[in-house]
Structures are given as C-alpha cells and as structure tokens.
Amino acid sequence: MKHSITVTRPDDWHLHLRDGAMLQAVLPETARTFGRAIIMPNLVPPVVTASQAQAYRDRILAALPKEMSFTPLMTLYLTEETDPNDVAQAYETGLIKAVKLYPAGATTNSASGVRNFENVRPVLEKMAEIGLPLCIHGEVTTHEVDIFDREAVFIETVLDPLRQSLPELRVVMEHITTKDGVDYAHTGGDTLAATITTHHLIINRNHILVGGIKPHYYCLPVAKRETHRLALRKAATSGDPRFFLGTDSAPHLDGDKLSACGCAGCFTATNTMPLLAHVFEEENALANLEAFTSKNGPAFYRLPENTDTITLRKSDTQTNFPEKIETENGPVTVFDPGFPVFWTAD
Ligand code: NCD
Ligand code: ZN
C-alpha cells in the first residue's frame, strides 16, 4: 500500500467563491491547495459583462492572503442579452476562460439564465469560432420532468441537438451526476469534456434521505442512485482525458442550509484532495489521480499545467478536518464524507 503520492498542483475547474465576507472566509480553503480555479459567475447580480468579471477578479485577488498564490480563471454568465463582441474581447485579452450557461431556474441564482436558446445563438457561434469553452449546467427546468431525470433529459433534448447544430463549440458538461452523462461524454471528440465533483463520487441519494434528511448533502444536480455514482467513479478514476475535477464547492451559511427551504450546495474546498486520495485508493487508481486533478483540465482548457507539486500522505491516525469554516455572518459546514479519512494534503 502506498503511503504518499506527489502530484502536479491541482486545479479546480468549477468553484463558487461568492463575494464579500464569504469570499474572504472560503478563498484560503481553495488557494491553500489549488493553483487555479474556474470561478462561477452566479453572484447576485450575476457576472455578465467583461467589466464585471474584471472587478470580481480584482476583489478575489484582494481577498487572497499574501502568502498564498492562486489564479482565478474568470467566466461570464450567459444571458439572452450577452453581447458576442464583449465576450470575444474578454477572451482575447485573457480575462475570461469560459462562458457559463445556466438554464433559467436550474439552480442557485440562475434566474437570469437562458430560456430560449435561439436568443444566445450569436454568442455561441462566436464562441465556436474563437474556441472559447461553454460550461453547461445540464439540467432541464420544466416542472413536468422529475428532478432525478433532469440531467438525462437535458442531454437528449438540449445538449445533443445543440452540439449537432454547432459541432465546433467546445463544451464542458459540468458536474455530471449520471451514467447517462458519462456515456454521452464518451461519445464526444476533443470538443467535449465533463467535470465531476468530489461529493458525487462519495454520496448517492440514500445519503441525503435515509435515516433523516441531510441538508449538507443536498446540492444541484442532486445526487442520484448508486449505479450512477459507480459510473462516475469509474470515469473519474479511469485517467480518460475527457474527465477532470470541478469540485462545485458551493458554500452557504448554515442558517441557509438548515432551513425549511434549504439552499443547494456542498462545501468541499477544505478537504477535497484528501477525499479524492481516499476514493482513488479505494478504486486502486491512485496512479490516475494526477490526470483527474492536475492534467486533463489544463489540456482541455489549453493552459499549461502548474509547475509545482503537492504531496498527499496517508497516516495511521484519522485526519481531523475542521467541521466548520467561520465567516463574519456565521459558519459554513465542511462536507463530511461519513467515513474516516487518513489522507492529508500539503
Ligand atoms: C451552486 C451554488 O450554490 O451556487 N449550488 C450547487 O448545489 N451546486 C449552484 C450550482 O452550481 O448549481
Ligand atoms: Zn456550481
């Protein structure tokens, strides 16, 4: 059994940092371990224009502790009013690395998202032309569709037709949660990739609902049945370049999670790498961890890999992760995998 493994410093290809006091509290949790992260634009109001992305990047860098180095990779939130030229210019200047598509109403702060895909066609065509990736929250939002089926229905009714009509568009299927997502990602060539979160490798829907409801396991897309979790594990640990880490670490104050209408999101920034080492070891795939966390993402985004490394170590004593991260407005609970972990990252 291997007791330590050194990997190229990882990146997080899907991260929520929020703003203000929350940003201040959660940023070090990511920057301690990760070199870069794709920063989600679902603030209130959303990050829609290049100038908003620039200002948000400045706030992130201002919140970064001096001893840490971290590069936020900015994104724009696609709306039906998005200007293709503003997007192209933000990409050409190096400010943004992707555009984020939320179907309207799909998740936290997605009300300004896309309702009619015809209205964003000019932006998508521009993106296809210049090679700018589109990160997609792949769930339909129609009330008739069961929440556990929303990803599979999205792939069939929205994603596949979109890719057929614009095959050059580079697409990241974000936080896939189903075998359908894994299978579809396999059908794509080099214009298609998928991110997988830490928590979806660990929990299935029973963890949320059996023995009492567990608000800290509730996120979107919601965890599915066990067969899907196993398909995600197989994909993530396979080394296949199409799959890479996007934690979707999504902090909410405990008061907003532990509520009659609790927010969606698991906060995994603090312990993601030790949890992944545990999962990859269980799958006898520690040798593929680096591909998932540090190599496949930069390759898809056409960025250099980080040049330094981190070391994951396994000890005989259980790792004690902090239960909560304190913010000025109250605590945020760190994702608890529900089993002992013996790995640390440094
Ligand atoms: C995210 C959030 O809280 O912003 N929540 C989540 O459950 N993942 C939004 C998202 O990525 O869907
Ligand atoms: Zn997210």
Side-chain angles (χ1 to χ4, degrees), residues 205-232:
R205 62 196 198 179
N206 278 11
H207 292 91
I208 311 172
L209 295 169
V210 173
I213 194 159
K214 315 291 188 319
H216 294 300
Y217 287 160
Y218 173 61
C219 67
L220 287 171
V222 69
K224 309 297 191 298
R225 63 169 67 236
E226 179 66 356
T227 45
H228 296 296
R229 186 185 74 102
L230 295 178
L232 296 173

Tab-separated table of all heavy atoms in Angstrom, residues 205-232:
chain	number	residue	atom	x	y	z
A	205	ARG	N	-28.168	9.138	-3.500
A	205	ARG	CA	-29.351	9.816	-2.952
A	205	ARG	C	-29.789	9.256	-1.605
A	205	ARG	O	-30.436	9.960	-0.834
A	205	ARG	CB	-30.485	9.831	-3.967
A	205	ARG	CG	-31.001	8.476	-4.373
A	205	ARG	CD	-31.828	8.622	-5.635
A	205	ARG	NE	-32.689	7.476	-5.865
A	205	ARG	CZ	-33.521	7.364	-6.893
A	205	ARG	NH1	-33.613	8.327	-7.789
A	205	ARG	NH2	-34.273	6.300	-7.042
A	206	ASN	N	-29.426	8.014	-1.318
A	206	ASN	CA	-29.738	7.481	0.013
A	206	ASN	C	-29.067	8.298	1.117
A	206	ASN	O	-29.644	8.487	2.190
A	206	ASN	CB	-29.244	6.039	0.142
A	206	ASN	CG	-30.214	5.052	-0.463
A	206	ASN	OD1	-31.154	5.437	-1.152
A	206	ASN	ND2	-29.986	3.769	-0.202
A	207	HIS	N	-27.840	8.742	0.834
A	207	HIS	CA	-27.135	9.506	1.863
A	207	HIS	C	-27.905	10.778	2.231
A	207	HIS	O	-27.821	11.248	3.357
A	207	HIS	CB	-25.729	9.888	1.389
A	207	HIS	CG	-24.809	8.715	1.238
A	207	HIS	ND1	-24.676	8.035	0.057
A	207	HIS	CD2	-23.998	8.102	2.121
A	207	HIS	CE1	-23.809	7.044	0.215
A	207	HIS	NE2	-23.381	7.058	1.458
A	208	ILE	N	-28.652	11.302	1.283
A	208	ILE	CA	-29.402	12.540	1.558
A	208	ILE	C	-30.660	12.238	2.361
A	208	ILE	O	-31.058	13.016	3.225
A	208	ILE	CB	-29.827	13.240	0.245
A	208	ILE	CG1	-28.656	13.361	-0.723
A	208	ILE	CG2	-30.436	14.619	0.522
A	208	ILE	CD1	-29.054	13.872	-2.112
A	209	LEU	N	-31.271	11.085	2.080
A	209	LEU	CA	-32.653	10.900	2.529
A	209	LEU	C	-32.896	9.797	3.560
A	209	LEU	O	-33.924	9.808	4.229
A	209	LEU	CB	-33.541	10.621	1.308
A	209	LEU	CG	-33.633	11.786	0.324
A	209	LEU	CD1	-34.296	11.355	-0.976
A	209	LEU	CD2	-34.381	12.957	0.935
A	210	VAL	N	-31.976	8.833	3.673
A	210	VAL	CA	-32.252	7.710	4.579
A	210	VAL	C	-31.839	8.055	6.009
A	210	VAL	O	-30.750	8.574	6.222
A	210	VAL	CB	-31.513	6.430	4.102
A	210	VAL	CG1	-31.648	5.307	5.128
A	210	VAL	CG2	-32.051	5.984	2.743
A	211	GLY	N	-32.730	7.771	6.947
A	211	GLY	CA	-32.410	7.997	8.363
A	211	GLY	C	-32.522	9.448	8.774
A	211	GLY	O	-31.933	9.861	9.766
A	212	GLY	N	-33.250	10.232	8.010
A	212	GLY	CA	-33.396	11.662	8.309
A	212	GLY	C	-32.766	12.472	7.197
A	212	GLY	O	-31.779	12.045	6.590
A	213	ILE	N	-33.329	13.630	6.914
A	213	ILE	CA	-32.837	14.422	5.770
A	213	ILE	C	-31.526	15.128	6.139
A	213	ILE	O	-31.390	15.651	7.240
A	213	ILE	CB	-33.931	15.408	5.307
A	213	ILE	CG1	-33.579	15.982	3.952
A	213	ILE	CG2	-34.199	16.496	6.314
A	213	ILE	CD1	-34.790	16.530	3.226
A	214	LYS	N	-30.564	15.075	5.223
A	214	LYS	CA	-29.222	15.646	5.497
A	214	LYS	C	-28.996	16.860	4.592
A	214	LYS	O	-28.500	16.725	3.474
A	214	LYS	CB	-28.125	14.618	5.202
A	214	LYS	CG	-28.353	13.205	5.715
A	214	LYS	CD	-28.295	13.113	7.215
A	214	LYS	CE	-28.320	11.662	7.673
A	214	LYS	NZ	-29.264	10.784	6.928
A	215	PRO	N	-29.322	18.029	5.087
A	215	PRO	CA	-29.232	19.225	4.231
A	215	PRO	C	-27.841	19.469	3.678
A	215	PRO	O	-27.704	20.018	2.586
A	215	PRO	CB	-29.641	20.365	5.170
A	215	PRO	CG	-30.368	19.717	6.293
A	215	PRO	CD	-29.804	18.340	6.437
A	216	HIS	N	-26.800	19.049	4.408
A	216	HIS	CA	-25.451	19.318	3.897
A	216	HIS	C	-25.071	18.406	2.729
A	216	HIS	O	-24.044	18.609	2.096
A	216	HIS	CB	-24.415	19.212	5.019
A	216	HIS	CG	-24.598	20.285	6.049
A	216	HIS	ND1	-24.529	21.633	5.740
A	216	HIS	CD2	-24.888	20.218	7.363
A	216	HIS	CE1	-24.751	22.352	6.831
A	216	HIS	NE2	-24.979	21.520	7.826
A	217	TYR	N	-25.893	17.396	2.445
A	217	TYR	CA	-25.657	16.552	1.266
A	217	TYR	C	-26.540	16.973	0.086
A	217	TYR	O	-26.494	16.361	-0.983
A	217	TYR	CB	-25.917	15.075	1.581
A	217	TYR	CG	-24.857	14.423	2.449
A	217	TYR	CD1	-25.135	13.247	3.148
A	217	TYR	CD2	-23.581	14.954	2.557
A	217	TYR	CE1	-24.174	12.626	3.931
A	217	TYR	CE2	-22.614	14.349	3.342
A	217	TYR	CZ	-22.913	13.191	4.024
A	217	TYR	OH	-21.959	12.577	4.793
A	218	TYR	N	-27.341	17.998	0.301
A	218	TYR	CA	-28.220	18.445	-0.788
A	218	TYR	C	-27.480	19.446	-1.675
A	218	TYR	O	-26.981	20.469	-1.199
A	218	TYR	CB	-29.501	19.080	-0.247
A	218	TYR	CG	-30.333	19.705	-1.344
A	218	TYR	CD1	-30.830	18.921	-2.383
A	218	TYR	CD2	-30.585	21.072	-1.366
A	218	TYR	CE1	-31.550	19.487	-3.413
A	218	TYR	CE2	-31.315	21.648	-2.398
A	218	TYR	CZ	-31.795	20.844	-3.416
A	218	TYR	OH	-32.503	21.407	-4.443
A	219	CYS	N	-27.378	19.124	-2.949
A	219	CYS	CA	-26.749	20.032	-3.912
A	219	CYS	C	-27.453	19.826	-5.239
A	219	CYS	O	-28.277	18.934	-5.385
A	219	CYS	CB	-25.264	19.700	-4.055
A	219	CYS	SG	-25.015	18.101	-4.826
A	220	LEU	N	-27.110	20.661	-6.197
A	220	LEU	CA	-27.644	20.506	-7.547
A	220	LEU	C	-26.503	20.383	-8.539
A	220	LEU	O	-25.526	21.133	-8.413
A	220	LEU	CB	-28.538	21.710	-7.906
A	220	LEU	CG	-29.887	21.712	-7.187
A	220	LEU	CD1	-30.611	23.020	-7.415
A	220	LEU	CD2	-30.757	20.535	-7.640
A	221	PRO	N	-26.584	19.517	-9.507
A	221	PRO	CA	-27.609	18.488	-9.623
A	221	PRO	C	-27.577	17.555	-8.404
A	221	PRO	O	-26.502	17.248	-7.886
A	221	PRO	CB	-27.209	17.726	-10.887
A	221	PRO	CG	-26.271	18.636	-11.631
A	221	PRO	CD	-25.598	19.454	-10.598
A	222	VAL	N	-28.769	17.127	-8.001
A	222	VAL	CA	-28.894	16.281	-6.815
A	222	VAL	C	-28.201	14.929	-7.079
A	222	VAL	O	-28.159	14.458	-8.217
A	222	VAL	CB	-30.396	16.114	-6.475
A	222	VAL	CG1	-31.127	15.271	-7.516
A	222	VAL	CG2	-30.605	15.583	-5.079
A	223	ALA	N	-27.631	14.350	-6.014
A	223	ALA	CA	-27.000	13.026	-6.161
A	223	ALA	C	-28.060	12.003	-6.580
A	223	ALA	O	-29.199	12.064	-6.136
A	223	ALA	CB	-26.344	12.615	-4.852
A	224	LYS	N	-27.653	11.065	-7.429
A	224	LYS	CA	-28.587	10.078	-7.988
A	224	LYS	C	-28.381	8.717	-7.307
A	224	LYS	O	-27.702	8.611	-6.313
A	224	LYS	CB	-28.358	9.960	-9.501
A	224	LYS	CG	-28.351	11.296	-10.259
A	224	LYS	CD	-29.680	12.009	-10.180
A	224	LYS	CE	-29.813	13.210	-11.121
A	224	LYS	NZ	-28.890	14.317	-10.926
A	225	ARG	N	-28.966	7.668	-7.910
A	225	ARG	CA	-28.862	6.347	-7.300
A	225	ARG	C	-27.444	5.761	-7.469
A	225	ARG	O	-26.634	6.273	-8.237
A	225	ARG	CB	-29.940	5.399	-7.850
A	225	ARG	CG	-29.843	5.119	-9.313
A	225	ARG	CD	-30.761	3.986	-9.751
A	225	ARG	NE	-32.184	4.295	-9.639
A	225	ARG	CZ	-33.056	3.558	-8.937
A	225	ARG	NH1	-32.647	2.497	-8.286
A	225	ARG	NH2	-34.335	3.873	-8.915
A	226	GLU	N	-27.201	4.662	-6.738
A	226	GLU	CA	-25.848	4.111	-6.630
A	226	GLU	C	-25.211	3.747	-7.984
A	226	GLU	O	-24.011	3.947	-8.186
A	226	GLU	CB	-25.881	2.884	-5.705
A	226	GLU	CG	-24.548	2.175	-5.511
A	226	GLU	CD	-23.508	3.012	-4.771
A	226	GLU	OE1	-23.767	4.189	-4.447
A	226	GLU	OE2	-22.404	2.465	-4.539
A	227	THR	N	-26.005	3.227	-8.916
A	227	THR	CA	-25.408	2.852	-10.209
A	227	THR	C	-24.735	4.054	-10.872
A	227	THR	O	-23.708	3.915	-11.539
A	227	THR	CB	-26.481	2.309	-11.185
A	227	THR	OG1	-27.609	3.178	-11.126
A	227	THR	CG2	-26.899	0.901	-10.855
A	228	HIS	N	-25.326	5.214	-10.679
A	228	HIS	CA	-24.748	6.424	-11.280
A	228	HIS	C	-23.448	6.816	-10.576
A	228	HIS	O	-22.470	7.192	-11.208
A	228	HIS	CB	-25.766	7.564	-11.238
A	228	HIS	CG	-26.976	7.283	-12.066
A	228	HIS	ND1	-26.909	7.146	-13.430
A	228	HIS	CD2	-28.273	7.077	-11.729
A	228	HIS	CE1	-28.123	6.885	-13.907
A	228	HIS	NE2	-28.965	6.831	-12.891
A	229	ARG	N	-23.466	6.725	-9.240
A	229	ARG	CA	-22.233	7.049	-8.511
A	229	ARG	C	-21.093	6.132	-8.968
A	229	ARG	O	-19.962	6.580	-9.166
A	229	ARG	CB	-22.448	6.908	-6.997
A	229	ARG	CG	-21.238	7.374	-6.179
A	229	ARG	CD	-21.427	7.105	-4.695
A	229	ARG	NE	-21.293	5.711	-4.369
A	229	ARG	CZ	-20.213	5.143	-3.816
A	229	ARG	NH1	-19.176	5.882	-3.503
A	229	ARG	NH2	-20.178	3.850	-3.557
A	230	LEU	N	-21.397	4.873	-9.162
A	230	LEU	CA	-20.354	3.930	-9.582
A	230	LEU	C	-19.838	4.272	-10.987
A	230	LEU	O	-18.639	4.178	-11.254
A	230	LEU	CB	-20.878	2.488	-9.519
A	230	LEU	CG	-21.219	2.007	-8.104
A	230	LEU	CD1	-21.784	0.583	-8.148
A	230	LEU	CD2	-20.006	2.077	-7.173
A	231	ALA	N	-20.729	4.711	-11.862
A	231	ALA	CA	-20.299	5.114	-13.210
A	231	ALA	C	-19.396	6.351	-13.133
A	231	ALA	O	-18.401	6.456	-13.866
A	231	ALA	CB	-21.519	5.399	-14.089
A	232	LEU	N	-19.726	7.269	-12.228
A	232	LEU	CA	-18.888	8.472	-12.069
A	232	LEU	C	-17.511	8.094	-11.542
A	232	LEU	O	-16.491	8.624	-11.979
A	232	LEU	CB	-19.545	9.454	-11.087
A	232	LEU	CG	-20.881	10.050	-11.522
A	232	LEU	CD1	-21.488	10.856	-10.379
A	232	LEU	CD2	-20.708	10.939	-12.755
